[in-house]
Amino acid sequence: MTEKIAVFPGDGIGEEIAEEAIKILDVVNHKYGFSIEIEKALVGGVAYEKCGNPLPDDTLQLAIDSDAILLAAVGGPQWESLDYSVRPERALLGLRAKLDLFANLRPAKIDPALIDSSTLKREVVEGIDIMVVRELVGGIYFGEPKGVTKNKDGVEKGINTLVYTTPEIERIARVAFEMAQIRNKRVCSVDKANVLESTELWRRVVTEVHNDYKDVDLSHMYVDNCAMQLVRYPRQFDVIVTTNLFGDILSDEAAMLTGSIGMLPSASLGSEKHIRDNLDYGYKGMYEPVHGSAPDIADQNKANPIAIILSVAMMMKYTFGYPDAAKDIEDAIQNVLNGGYRTQDIYTKGMKQVGTKEMGQLIASSIK
Ligand code: IPM
Ligand code: MG
């Protein structure tokens, strides 16, 4: 049975790094005798230019028909003045909402070879291994009412609404507890329950769901304290589960601890199971590097393809149930880094600087 992967290169460095990810998919496809089928489509600014819509219907349909989606990056300065409804970022929000990809997993793990790239002291960041589980299709990003209105007196009013329902909180809490069970068995739920009623509900529901996962330790933290604790003593965290907006902010902070945003992958999972040979393996999902489209270095063979390649590894794990292939990819990256190869963003003195294509090729060869 074929596994269908939709590849959406998007904008900026997207095309270049997607090429390297496809190289890796080809290699594992061959090595393990998978029958992975890849189909590309336009998304983001390039799609807007061609079709007037950052998420064209055929792109959305391909996403619906695929088992997994690999999205490189969207956005760029030339589209920043566009109306909200057609900005490249809308494509991301549209895919998340239409596919109900409610669970966003953003690992922030420090690579020992790159520890000195962090802006924080070695003793603070050494050994960090955090998984931010961000709720992705609810909260203030999607709550109603929303929008900007004008009163008769000409005063404008901008509204967004923070809404969470019990089922929305329950399902993301379960993902966090199950993730903790295969990690270090600690969940920290982050809210602003001292001020915001909807997150008071969040805290109550997470606490109730915890009854089903007594092997996991649960703690609660207010978001402002969490932002501080992340730079004070990040090793205290294993899994952080939080709302859409808090997760957006805290995952960037957690990413920065590692000093190499060009190395961080992410997965956005739905509730639809991936079935192969009548067995279910994982969840349909969309996989993306955490970094953006970096238009300033696009088309110069400078971008670091590691984050998107690690996103492929997450796809092998969380959608297809091929942990060996995932481990192969991760090990190959380690080998290449241990060999001293670096793209410019992670380059330090004495290392060998390589471009996007060379980095992809080195990793691909190391898998074979
Ligand atoms: C992210 C991004 C997106 C978000 C934007 C581009 C819509 O910041 O994936 O974290 O806010 O979710
Ligand atoms: Mg963000």
Side-chain angles (χ1 to χ4, degrees), residues 27-319:
V27 172
V28 291
N29 200 15
H30 237 88
K31 178 167 175 179
Y32 289 92
F34 300 158
S35 42
I36 290 173
E37 199 180 89
I38 292 170
E39 196 174 331
K40 283 168 117 183
L42 294 178
V43 77
V46 287
Y48 170 76
E49 295 300 337
K50 188 129 186 271
C51 332
N53 179 357
L55 181 58
D57 290 346
D58 48 354
T59 299
L60 177 60
Q61 195 56 48
L62 176 61
I64 293 169
D65 294 339
S66 301
D67 299 306
I69 299 142
L70 186 67
L71 188 147
V74 294
Q78 66 269 52
W79 301 296
E80 266 162 25
S81 55
L82 287 178
D83 186 74
Y84 252 62
S85 60
V86 288
R87 286 211 201 149
E89 291 79 5
R90 281 284 130 184
L92 270 184
L93 298 173
L95 283 165
R96 290 171 184 173
K98 291 268 167 35
L99 303 175
D100 196 29
L101 303 172
F102 70 94
N104 184 213
L105 313 181
R106 299 191 165 183
K109 191 171 173 176
I110 198 130
D111 194 304
L114 301 176
I115 220 161
D116 294 318
S117 315
S118 177
T119 51
L120 279 88
K121 290 189 195 121
R122 170 180 278 270
E123 57 268 33
V124 174
V125 293
E126 207 157 39
I128 61 166
D129 181 2
I130 301 170
M131 178 68 86
V132 178
V133 177
R134 167 187 177 194
E135 199 291 324
L136 204 58
V137 294
I140 200 165
Y141 272 54
F142 294 94
E144 300 279 352
K146 62 155 94 182
V148 178
T149 54
K150 202 181 232 168
N151 291 345
K152 282 194 208 86
D153 56 8
V155 173
E156 288 189 283
K157 186 159 77 172
I159 303 180
N160 289 94
T161 311
L162 174 56
V163 185
Y164 272 113
T165 61
T166 318
E168 283 176 314
I169 305 167
E170 264 173 23
R171 65 179 183 171
I172 193 72
R174 289 197 189 280
V175 171
F177 287 122
E178 281 162 28
M179 192 54 61
Q181 282 179 323
I182 54 169
R183 291 172 47 96
N184 294 311
K185 299 202 160 49
R186 279 178 287 135
V187 169
C188 178
S189 171
V190 175
D191 58 42
K192 189 72 187 174
N194 50 345
V195 179
L196 304 173
E197 285 83 351
S198 59
T199 71
E200 191 193 321
L201 176 68
W202 176 283
R203 185 175 286 221
R204 187 149 47 78
V205 175
V206 172
T207 306
E208 277 160 23
V209 174
H210 180 226
N211 287 324
D212 295 341
Y213 303 90
K214 282 301 183 192
D215 54 329
V216 175
D217 279 337
L218 171 66
S219 59
H220 300 276
M221 219 178 247
Y222 297 137
V223 62
D224 48 349
N225 185 26
C226 181
M228 190 256 282
Q229 295 296 336
L230 269 171
V231 287
R232 190 186 76 90
Y233 178 41
R235 272 193 301 278
Q236 70 185 284
F237 296 106
D238 175 21
V239 173
I240 291 176
V241 62
T242 190
T243 64
N244 203 343
L245 180 61
F246 295 163
D248 179 44
I249 300 165
L250 295 176
S251 63
D252 265 24
E253 192 185 357
M256 195 56 211
L257 299 176
T258 70
S260 39
I261 195 156
M263 303 272 299
L264 298 177
S266 76
S268 303
L269 307 179
S271 43
E272 193 183 319
K273 278 279 192 181
H274 172 63
I275 310 285
R276 184 176 62 237
D277 313 323
N278 295 323
L279 291 172
D280 54 40
Y281 289 89
Y283 295 95
K284 173 166 175 159
M286 180 160 83
Y287 298 83
E288 295 168 73
V290 165
H291 60 69
S293 60
D296 52 318
I297 57 160
D299 303 319
Q300 297 166 43
N301 194 37
K302 281 187 179 166
N304 185 348
I306 294 182
I308 195 168
I309 294 174
L310 282 169
S311 303
V312 171
M314 285 188 96
M315 178 191 292
M316 292 297 137
K317 230 184 284 181
Y318 295 115
T319 292

